[in-house]
Amino acid sequence: MITGKNYIGNTLSNKGTKTYKTFNPKSNEVNEHQFYEATEEEINQAAQLATEAFSVFSQASGEKRAEFLNAIADEILALDTKLIETYMSESGLPEGRAIGERGRTIFQLRMFAVLVKNDQWREPKLDASDYDRKPIPKPDLRKMLIPIGPVVVFGASNFPLAYSTAGGDTASALAAGCPVIVKSHPMHAGTGELVSSAIIKAAKKTGMPNGVFSNINSSGIKVGEQLVMHPQVKAVGFTGSIYGGRALYNLAATRKEPIPVFAEMGSINPVIITQKSLETRASEIATTYSKSITLGAGQFCTNPGLLLAIESDELTSFISDLGEKTIAQDPQCMLHPNIKNSFVNKGDTVTNEAETKIVAEYKNTTSANYAGAKIVTVSGDTFLSNTYLHQEVFGPFSMVVQCKNEAQLLEIISKLEGQLTGTILAEKEEYSQLGKLVQTLQNRVGRIIFNGAPTGVEVCDAMTHGGPYPASTDSRFTAVGNGSILRWVRPFSYQDFPEELLPEILKN
Ligand code: NAP
């Protein structure tokens, strides 16, 4: 049942008077439930409970935390159709996507359960002593990773399950031994409350301390700011806009004790298409990319927003083919009217910039929050001289840049802001000449996809989902896969410790 209340630890609470409702973008109507924004008192309670829970939870065995994570997965599945229906009514996303995203959420929780069942993920290191060493004796030193403390997670609008309440950030932080306070995304507060109820049930069933998880409602930035500034909060996970992520990062730096903010933000995901590829399979590439650009109404952080190639006749016909194929895709519902408006406004302002040409634009959208795709093109000179064209247009939009020559292509890549991904489409006979391109692109992105499309992020050990700023605020970490747990830990050394006081993993 959805109550509209906050979870302050295990307790449902609505002390405040400010309320809001979610919106169904498909039916273009406000949803029925009313949500209560958390008060400062409730935020303080959640932070205090998280701090108390940390002293117990951080010491719980890996087996116990794995049990908790698996129980969350089970309880989410037990929410069954209620969860799927609520997800759809708050996001406009179709049932298949809802079920797929739930599957990914469950998979992530179980993956972290496997990871932390034994303590090898803590990267234990043992340096033997040499007390006879001259001139200075060497002490016995042992090191491992320990949890950082209570973590605040800002849920993402575009992934109501996999990157929100029990999504990747929460799963990895709980796996590490950090209590989590979720700042629920206001666009899908009902989905957030249902998933929170599953987490609380799982926590109770597996004997986790009260405060290991809280879910804080809010609509507006005040609550998020209070959470980031709270002295008992020790790290932040965020997925969303550059504007929001940067604001929170800056805010955290003003604290008396600055804390890390791991923000995964915007990206235009450059795709480089070689001349040989255009000559060999332009039509196939246009088909693949028309689908990738419009997938999920373009609301993916890995959406291919920028295609780069060198001027040629083949490129000219590829551009018009891509335009036609892209606008032939059915328009899809966007997550919220605000996101649709932002897509239209940003798309228009980019298109209105001098020397930007619209290749194709879907104009017959009948429903209010459905987005028609748009493909535009510019010359390499224009793109280089106008950095306004480098911004993300979140939605089914892509820009093809026609570069003068290879030198200009490389210059453009080297001047791009940091990106989550880059893609190279090339033919086998060219591979030996791609070294410079790979190296230039590698400096700007977190992952290079070869002969594929960037949409789709595998959850696994070898995944990097992050990249140089502003793709993320810390390019040393991934937000997806096992490695994402490393955001919530710090290294700790034990010097000359008695055996019985050492953690099991560091004993002789
Ligand atoms: P957002 O505006 O960045 O908001 C994300 C979360 O952060 C929300 O809970 C929001 O709270 C909070 N927040 C934002 N600015 C804040 C600030 N200054 N101080 C404290 N809290 C703050 O992102 P969104 O709502 O998900 O979508 C808006 C736009 O972000 C999209 O149109 C798109 O351009 C971009 N976006 C990009 C990606 C990506 O993966 N690249 C993903 C999602 C969205 P409130 O909502 O309560 O104010």
Side-chain angles (χ1 to χ4, degrees), residues 326-342:
T326 306
I327 62 167
Q329 305 295 319
D330 287 336
Q332 291 171 55
C333 188
M334 294 200 86
L335 295 159
H336 194 272
N338 292 348
I339 292 207
K340 162 80 190 289
N341 290 341
S342 156

Side-chain angles (χ1 to χ4, degrees), residues 218-234:
S218 85
S219 161
I221 64 173
K222 197 173 114 225
V223 166
E225 288 177 342
Q226 286 171 334
L227 283 166
V228 170
M229 290 304 282
H230 203 288
Q232 285 166 302
V233 168
K234 300 302 174 196

Side-chain angles (χ1 to χ4, degrees), residues 76-92:
I76 289 175
L77 280 174
L79 290 168
D80 205 14
T81 49
K82 177 74 187 153
L83 179 63
I84 300 299
E85 282 160 11
T86 308
Y87 171 109
M88 288 164 65
S89 74
E90 293 184 329
S91 68

Side-chain angles (χ1 to χ4, degrees), residues 293-300 303 332-335 343 371 394-397:
I293 291 162
T294 52
L295 189 72
Q299 301 167 122
F300 286 116
N303 199 54
Q332 291 171 55
C333 188
M334 294 200 86
L335 295 159
F343 166 66
F394 192 65
F397 173 94

Side-chain angles (χ1 to χ4, degrees), residues 23 45 52 103 126 144 166 173 252 281 330 335 347 364 371 408 462 495:
F23 192 83
Q45 280 171 352
E52 288 164 19
L126 277 72
M144 67 173 201
R281 53 188 169 107
D330 287 336
L335 295 159
N364 303 323
Q408 186 174 63
Q495 186 166 332

Side-chain angles (χ1 to χ4, degrees), residues 157-158 183 185-186 220-221 238 240-241 244 247-248 265-266 301 392 394:
S157 60
N158 57 341
K183 197 304 233 173
H185 199 290
I221 64 173
F238 172 93
S241 65
L248 296 172
M265 304 176 288
C301 47
E392 179 188 36
F394 192 65

Side-chain angles (χ1 to χ4, degrees), residues 353-478:
E353 288 294 295
E355 296 174 64
T356 308
K357 187 173 158 248
I358 300 177
V359 177
E361 184 176 19
Y362 188 96
K363 289 218 163 113
N364 303 323
T365 39
T366 43
S367 307
N369 302 309
Y370 281 60
K374 194 174 197 172
I375 301 292
V376 304
T377 186
V378 291
S379 70
D381 285 342
T382 304
F383 190 78
L384 270 176
S385 63
N386 185 355
T387 51
Y388 190 76
L389 299 175
H390 300 204
Q391 70 178 301
E392 179 188 36
V393 179
F394 192 65
F397 173 94
S398 198
M399 178 181 291
V400 187
V401 178
Q402 305 184 47
C403 308
K404 268 198 306 229
N405 48 37
E406 195 188 334
Q408 186 174 63
L409 172 74
L410 293 175
E411 187 186 356
I412 288 175
I413 296 170
S414 67
K415 288 188 173 160
L416 286 175
E417 291 191 310
Q419 305 290 330
L420 291 168
T421 74
T423 302
I424 297 174
L425 304 178
E427 300 307 297
K428 202 163 181 11
E429 62 263 39
E430 300 171 296
Y431 291 179
S432 61
Q433 299 138 44
L434 294 179
K436 184 96 182 129
L437 173 63
V438 171
Q439 195 194 349
T440 311
L441 191 56
Q442 194 169 31
N443 281 330
R444 305 310 312 131
V445 308
R447 171 167 62 111
I448 296 181
I449 297 107
F450 209 85
N451 279 339
T455 34
V457 181
E458 191 63 36
V459 180
C460 63
D461 227 4
M463 175 53 71
T464 300
H465 190 66
Y469 182 86
S472 67
T473 45
D474 195 333
S475 62
R476 294 169 300 171
F477 296 90
T478 175

